[in-house]
Amino acid sequence: MRDDGGVPGLPDRLWRLQTDPTDRWRATVLAGTVGALLATVHWSGLLAGGALVGLAWPTLRRAVLAGLGFGIAVVALFALELALGGSLVATLRMGVFGLVPVVVPVVAAPLGATVRGLVPDATAGD
């Protein structure tokens, strides 16, 4: 281990980000914003957003939960967009096809967050 309490193999800046709650939440919001913007261009932005959000968290379990939260937030934003455009009711009446915009973010974002498993846990300071 390093003298600063970090984890071998984990870059210093990432370890500091993951162990400082204020920086972690700031990074999560920024990563979620970038991911949501990417998702407006292509659905794979949900995977990228989930990965970015997940890297801000100190453990894989918490990263996947943060990815799930990101996916739910994307669904809420999409529903708001449909409501403001006056097409939410029509989308809900589509039945199974109306579920696709709900299921894809809720599955893709946590799947993207599993990239967090590629680096060791940074649990000091939690």
Side-chain angles (χ1 to χ4, degrees):
M1 288 188 99
R2 298 178 301 215
D3 292 337
D4 63 355
V7 177
L10 188 64
D12 289 337
R13 296 180 85 192
L14 185 59
W15 181 83
R16 277 189 243 114
L17 172 87
Q18 292 173 349
T19 55
D20 180 21
T22 303
D23 287 344
R24 180 174 46 231
W25 280 105
R26 286 180 184 160
T28 300
V29 170
L30 179 63
T33 303
V34 169
L37 290 174
L38 289 172
T40 63
V41 178
H42 193 268
W43 66 266
S44 62
L46 296 167
L47 291 169
L52 292 171
V53 167
L55 283 173
W57 290 87
T59 63
L60 178 59
R61 172 180 266 169
R62 292 174 75 184
V64 171
L65 288 174
L68 179 62
F70 168 68
I72 291 169
V74 167
V75 170
L77 286 172
F78 183 63
L80 177 64
E81 182 181 355
L82 289 175
L84 291 174
S87 58
L88 179 61
V89 174
T91 303
L92 293 175
R93 288 184 184 157
M94 290 174 61
V96 174
F97 296 111
L99 291 177
V100 171
V102 173
V103 172
V104 170
V106 171
V107 171
L111 181 64
T114 60
V115 75
R116 175 62 185 84
L118 297 175
V119 293
D121 286 350
T123 55
D126 267 349

